[in-house]
């Protein structure tokens, strides 16, 4: 074998998504996981309510949890992916450090 030759691996183009957040059916980023959790919680709530109180109570729990979950997701997503606490008011700093 000729050890003087350098091994060259093939190059492949890599698509990185152009710095855009993950999106699925209008939901972006972390809200995809929130929607999956809301749907799973709604199904679990339906099963528990159906076993305890019956079909109608299960449907009520299912509809209530889906609507509360989707309203929360849409409200939070409208504020943006990086929601932070918004301080309201006027703040006066006398000094930032002692001299």
């Amino acid at each position: 074998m000729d050890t003087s030759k350098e091994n060259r691996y093939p190059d492949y183009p890599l698509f990185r998504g152009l710095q855009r957040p993950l999106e699925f059916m209008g939901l972006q980023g972390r809200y995809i996981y929130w929607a999956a959790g809301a749907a799973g919680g709604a199904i679990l709530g339906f099963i528990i309510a159906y076993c305890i109180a019956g079909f109608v109570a299960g449907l009520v729990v299912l509809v209530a949890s889906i609507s509360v979950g989707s309203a929360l997701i849409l409200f939070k997503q409208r504020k943006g992916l990086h929601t932070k606490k918004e301080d309201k008011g006027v703040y006066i700093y006398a000094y930032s450090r002692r001299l």
Side-chain angles (χ1 to χ4, degrees):
M1 278 203 196
D2 189 24
T3 58
S4 64
K5 287 186 179 180
E6 191 176 311
N7 288 336
R8 175 93 177 145
Y9 296 105
D11 295 331
Y12 298 103
L14 181 65
F15 178 69
R16 294 183 182 214
L18 302 175
Q19 299 297 321
R20 298 186 66 200
L22 179 64
E23 184 172 342
F24 177 71
M25 295 177 62
L27 298 173
Q28 295 178 345
R30 65 180 173 194
Y31 302 112
I32 296 172
Y33 300 113
W34 285 26
I43 292 171
L44 186 65
F46 171 76
I47 292 171
I48 292 171
Y50 179 72
C51 290
I52 292 173
F55 183 73
V56 175
L59 282 180
V60 168
V61 168
L62 180 73
V63 169
S65 57
I66 292 265
S67 19
V68 167
S70 61
L72 179 66
I73 289 169
L74 292 177
F75 175 72
K76 288 289 225 177
Q77 187 173 350
R78 187 167 293 167
K79 289 181 125 184
L81 280 176
H82 308 289
T83 57
K84 296 182 180 177
K85 183 179 177 184
E86 297 175 7
D87 294 327
K88 295 182 180 178
V90 177
Y91 298 97
I92 299 173
Y93 296 102
Y95 50 86
S96 61
R97 57 187 160 139
R98 296 200 184 257
L99 296 175

